[in-house]
Amino acid sequence: MSKKIHVLFHVPEGLESIARKDIEASLADIQEPKYSFESKTGRVHLFCAINSIDTFKQYIQSAQLLSIYSVTLVASESVIPAEVFKELQPTYDYISDQTKKAPWYSVIAEDPQDKSTNSSFRATFKKEQIKHKAPSQEIAGYIGFAFSDFFKHWKVKMTEFTYEIVSLWFQTSDVDYLNRLDDPLVNDESVILLLGIDIPLKDQRQRNRVFVGRTSLNPCIAYCLALVANPKPGQVILDMCCGTGTIPIEGASRFKDVFWLGSEVKVKTLAEKAFGNVQHCELKNVDLLLGDGRKICFRDGLIDSIVSDWPWGIRENSYQQIQGLYPKFVKQMYRVLKPDGKAYIVTQGHKLMNRVLDYDWCKKMWTVDEILPIGIGGLDAFLYTLSKNTTSTVV
């Protein structure tokens, strides 16, 4: 007999719609799926039916979920009363009470009386950018203590634990999601408490690479950027500031019939880190070259699309250095792209990028299709989608 479950996928902020499509394609065998997400939250919710918790966990672990950071199997969700949320101790008491009420047996298929399992757990909590004077570590402690009433023989371990008990609170304006909670007082300012367990996955941060740099993108973000570009078979895609090669490697691993090029100006980064990562992956449809984005060494009209994370100034040069790069970058992109080419550029330098795109000569070259706010490492960044105007020439 099947039962309904709620699964929470943690995904790159701002790229929820891309991640949602990728999750849906990867989990094509799910029964009665319904998805919910909001932009810039880093969350995609799945509501579906399953026959077995253990079978579902194995299915998730075997699926190619390359656009997600982690997966939480939700045990319970509730709305924290506003008067409770205002005070410290009532908040602790409410969370403890909800932890004790949660149907943990619906997501943990273990006999609480079986002392031979040697199972262990760790409790974690996330505030999801909601301000509150209660420290996250203390809330996690209350959750862990309350959870220990269920499996009394389980030990608490910070590393190499069997289960991670996950809790977070968040707010949403998704009407369908709020209606599911069946609370007459709920609204988009209500704080929702979610309790569940993490489904263990392989470490996504180090997949496809053995070398990282100070500004290396998370592979999940790079993978989603490749999905945004959605290249066609036979096309050539360039990352003009490839660093350790994360974008071309993730793109090449997803789109096997597309050729991915990575160009990097720093010799050591390219020769030791990016090249080492490409060798580690053993991909045949990606190549690297030493190159400067201010003078790209390709003939005119060679590249189909450019997908790149530009220097922003966070641990990368100075603002004065960077502001001299952007005008030259956009000119070079225009030159090497095909007439119908597009550029997908990530930067935190929103003001600088907008100023460059507002130049008269730049307006003649480019049409700004979209400016999408995204999150990278807790910082606000933006994904610019630019289309080449064929009526202009490089100045």
Side-chain angles (χ1 to χ4, degrees):
M1 182 179 178
S2 64
K3 64 177 180 178
K4 301 286 187 178
I5 62 165
H6 176 188
V7 186
L8 173 61
F9 297 94
H10 301 272
V11 304
E13 292 181 25
L15 298 168
E16 292 84 4
S17 63
I18 295 297
R20 183 259 184 197
K21 292 178 183 177
D22 184 60
I23 294 168
E24 186 175 15
S26 301
L27 303 180
D29 296 331
I30 290 291
Q31 302 177 45
E32 305 173 31
K34 183 178 180 182
Y35 290 89
S36 170
F37 68 89
E38 281 184 284
S39 298
K40 205 63 168 54
T41 62
R43 298 187 302 270
V44 174
H45 300 268
L46 165 64
F47 307 96
C48 64
I50 64 169
N51 296 319
S52 163
I53 285 292
D54 284 341
T55 302
F56 179 77
K57 288 181 183 178
Q58 293 170 10
Y59 177 63
I60 290 291
Q61 290 171 329
S62 63
Q64 286 288 94
L65 294 170
L66 301 179
S67 59
I68 68 167
Y69 298 137
S70 60
V71 187
T72 299
L73 193 55
V74 178
S76 72
E77 52 191 332
S78 60
V79 179
I80 305 178
E83 63 276 10
V84 169
F85 191 73
K86 292 177 183 177
E87 303 295 333
L88 187 61
Q89 192 56 49
T91 298
Y92 288 144
D93 294 340
Y94 179 86
I95 292 174
S96 296
D97 185 54
Q98 291 300 313
T99 303
K100 292 177 181 178
K101 290 180 179 178
W104 293 107
Y105 302 135
S106 67
V107 295
I108 300 176
E110 282 203 28
D111 183 355
Q113 305 302 322
D114 185 0
K115 297 182 180 181
S116 64
T117 59
N118 294 320
S119 293
S120 58
F121 76 96
R122 179 182 79 172
T124 59
F125 174 79
K126 297 178 182 179
K127 286 187 177 180
E128 294 289 307
Q129 300 181 343
I130 298 177
K131 293 182 179 180
H132 196 281
K133 52 189 175 183
S136 296
Q137 191 172 358
E138 287 192 16
I139 296 176
Y142 276 86
I143 292 169
F145 185 78
F147 176 81
S148 64
D149 283 350
F150 284 84
F151 299 90
K152 298 182 184 298
H153 64 283
W154 285 14
K155 294 181 179 179
V156 176
K157 294 178 68 175
M158 293 298 102
T159 60
E160 298 181 355
F161 43 82
T162 312
Y163 293 94
E164 182 170 13
I165 309 306
V166 178
S167 177
L168 69 151
W169 59 36
F170 63 93
Q171 293 173 311
T172 180
S173 57
D174 187 331
V175 176
D176 290 337
Y177 188 97
L178 294 174
N179 289 339
R180 282 187 62 262
L181 299 174
D182 194 26
D183 186 326
L185 300 179
V186 70
N187 56 54
D188 57 6
E189 295 184 357
S190 298
V191 178
I192 300 167
L193 173 67
L194 185 147
L195 294 160
I197 64 163
D198 232 26
I199 298 179
L201 302 175
K202 292 181 180 179
D203 187 358
Q204 300 283 49
R205 293 170 296 179
Q206 296 304 326
R207 71 166 190 245
N208 289 336
R209 63 186 185 186
V210 289
F211 302 101
V212 296
R214 293 180 302 168
T215 56
S216 294
L217 269 181
N218 186 294
C220 294
I221 299 175
Y223 179 82
C224 286
L225 294 177
L227 293 178
V228 171
N230 192 26
K232 303 299 184 290
Q235 289 190 334
V236 178
I237 313 299
L238 171 67
D239 179 358
M240 57 194 290
C241 304
C242 75
T244 57
T246 307
I247 291 177
I249 287 172
E250 289 297 319
S253 67
R254 172 60 175 82
F255 298 95
K256 302 289 187 181
D257 49 7
V258 174
F259 190 66
W260 294 77
L261 279 168
S263 174
E264 172 57 41
V265 71
K266 296 180 181 178
V267 178
K268 187 173 182 179
T269 300
L270 182 79
E272 295 181 6
K273 296 182 177 180
F275 186 66
N277 288 334
V278 170
Q279 285 186 313
H280 170 71
C281 297
E282 299 181 347
L283 293 167
K284 304 301 182 184
N285 60 323
V286 60
D287 204 355
L288 305 171
L289 69 150
L290 183 66
D292 189 334
R294 295 169 294 185
K295 191 68 175 177
I296 300 175
C297 55
F298 294 128
R299 68 176 184 266
D300 297 358
L302 175 70
I303 305 298
D304 291 285
S305 295
I306 291 175
V307 184
S308 193
D309 176 21
W310 283 4
W312 324 331
I314 302 298
R315 297 176 291 180
E316 185 71 51
N317 300 321
S318 67
Y319 178 77
Q320 285 187 334
Q321 289 175 303
I322 290 170
Q323 69 177 347
L325 297 178
Y326 282 30
K328 296 176 182 178
F329 281 1
V330 296
K331 289 180 181 179
Q332 286 296 299
M333 288 198 309
Y334 185 88
R335 182 182 65 79
V336 300
L337 279 173
K338 290 182 177 179
D340 58 348
K342 282 182 176 287
Y344 304 88
I345 305 302
V346 172
T347 177
Q348 195 199 30
H350 192 46
K351 292 182 180 179
L352 172 58
M353 189 68 166
N354 287 345
R355 188 171 78 233
V356 173
L357 293 173
D358 200 42
Y359 292 150
D360 287 340
W361 60 264
C362 198
K363 287 181 179 179
K364 295 175 181 178
M365 291 181 179
W366 298 100
T367 296
V368 180
D369 296 334
E370 185 180 23
I371 303 175
L372 183 67
I374 64 175
I376 298 179
L379 299 171
D380 291 326
F382 298 86
L383 171 59
Y384 286 77
T385 301
L386 310 176
S387 291
K388 181 177 177 179
N389 294 332
T390 56
T391 57
S392 179
T393 58
V394 178
V395 293

